[in-house]
Amino acid sequence: MAETLKQKRARARKIIPILQQTYPDAKCSLRFGNALELLVATILSAQCTDVRVNKITEQLFREYVSAADYARAELAELEERVRSAGFYKHKAKNIKHCCEKLVAQFQGRVPATLKELTLLDGVGRKTANVVLGNAFGVPSMVVDTHVGRISQRLGLTTESDPVKIEFALMELIPREHWVQYSHELICLGRDICKARRPQHRLCPLRSLCPTGSAELKKAPAGD
Ligand code: SF4
């Protein structure tokens, strides 16, 4: 029989303390000192590892401190600074235009609402949610590739569109856990529930996960 919303919510609530115990130190792995730095780092992080972004921003944040610094930068110079992030022309242009808008419309400050953040160039819901949750402490659900994949495997959603997954998860996970839930699933996705060859047997969520349970039944001797 199909799981009801109430049952799914109850199962999601059992998942939360297990994730908390497994990854008590889960947090944003992008380095930043303020909302602007996190915004720039998150724009750079598309299709790029956080380790590489942190390497780039170590130097970048010494040279570009305010939104006005990015807004008046020569585009070619900014491109050079972020070249190793991949898609550097696109990312440099987004950062520059985003900061021009911050200067023109927000007195150079990063706004703290989803509506305003998503008006900025290069800022979709995911980037906005990263900034809201980690720089401003506003409950927000970040759906990246790990969060989407694992939430599907856990049977918490059948959606594949990240925005639909975000809304489905917000229905199931209490608001105060949204930010940590994303960080913890990202850790699980990097460690155990990888895109290829998820390690069901090692997974702390296996008894609550329909995918893991089914796979372990099929192959009781190994993952
Ligand atoms: S049991 Fe398997 S599929 Fe389910 S969350 Fe764990 S590793 Fe992923």
Side-chain angles (χ1 to χ4, degrees):
M1 208 196 304
E3 192 177 38
T4 64
L5 179 62
K6 196 171 161 197
Q7 288 167 329
K8 202 179 275 185
R9 213 173 255 154
R11 194 162 57 85
R13 282 169 198 223
K14 287 186 191 162
I15 287 171
I16 292 166
I18 299 174
L19 286 172
Q20 285 173 333
Q21 274 176 9
T22 311
Y23 299 109
D25 301 321
K27 62 178 177 116
C28 180
S29 50
L30 292 170
R31 275 206 294 263
F32 65 97
N34 55 49
L36 177 65
E37 289 187 353
L38 182 57
L39 179 59
V40 171
T42 309
I43 292 173
L44 289 174
S45 72
Q47 314 281 323
C48 182
T49 65
D50 290 354
V51 172
R52 186 173 289 274
V53 172
N54 288 340
K55 246 185 211 158
I56 295 169
T57 56
E58 196 177 350
Q59 183 65 25
L60 187 73
F61 292 164
R62 279 197 208 116
E63 290 167 20
Y64 298 79
V65 176
S66 67
D69 292 340
Y70 292 101
R72 63 175 163 249
E74 288 294 330
L75 189 55
E77 188 196 312
L78 199 50
E79 285 173 0
E80 271 316 298
R81 304 266 183 233
V82 304
R83 180 181 272 269
S84 62
F87 305 101
Y88 66 97
K89 283 182 185 280
H90 186 65
K91 290 179 182 178
K93 192 166 73 168
N94 276 340
I95 292 170
K96 183 171 165 62
H97 290 174
C98 168
C99 287
E100 284 169 358
K101 210 172 264 180
L102 288 180
V103 171
Q105 297 181 19
F106 299 97
Q107 295 83 46
R109 287 198 295 269
V110 178
T113 67
L114 186 70
K115 192 174 168 194
E116 290 170 311
L117 278 164
T118 51
L119 293 175
L120 303 169
D121 296 69
V123 181
R125 285 187 74 93
K126 185 185 142 207
T127 297
N129 282 330
V130 169
V131 173
L132 286 174
N134 296 285
F136 294 119
V138 174
S140 55
M141 181 67 79
V142 173
V143 177
D144 77 343
T145 175
H146 297 295
V147 175
R149 178 181 73 250
I150 302 173
S151 298
Q152 287 165 344
R153 286 177 176 170
L154 285 168
L156 297 181
T157 181
T158 53
E159 302 290 353
S160 52
D161 172 63
V163 176
K164 289 186 179 161
I165 295 175
E166 182 192 328
F167 278 93
L169 292 177
M170 289 191 295
E171 277 275 297
L172 299 173
I173 310 286
R175 202 177 158 76
E176 65 272 23
H177 294 292
W178 289 352
V179 175
Q180 276 313 104
Y181 176 83
S182 302
H183 290 320
E184 289 153 2
L185 277 203
I186 291 167
C187 292
L188 187 75
R190 287 176 177 157
D191 275 3
I192 294 174
C193 192
K194 299 178 184 183
R196 288 186 193 180
R197 293 183 58 80
Q199 305 291 302
H200 311 299
R201 200 169 294 284
L202 299 177
C203 182
L205 301 181
R206 63 190 177 279
S207 65
L208 293 164
C209 176
T211 308
S213 303
E215 289 297 322
L216 288 173
K217 259 186 216 155
K218 275 197 271 175
D223 280 339

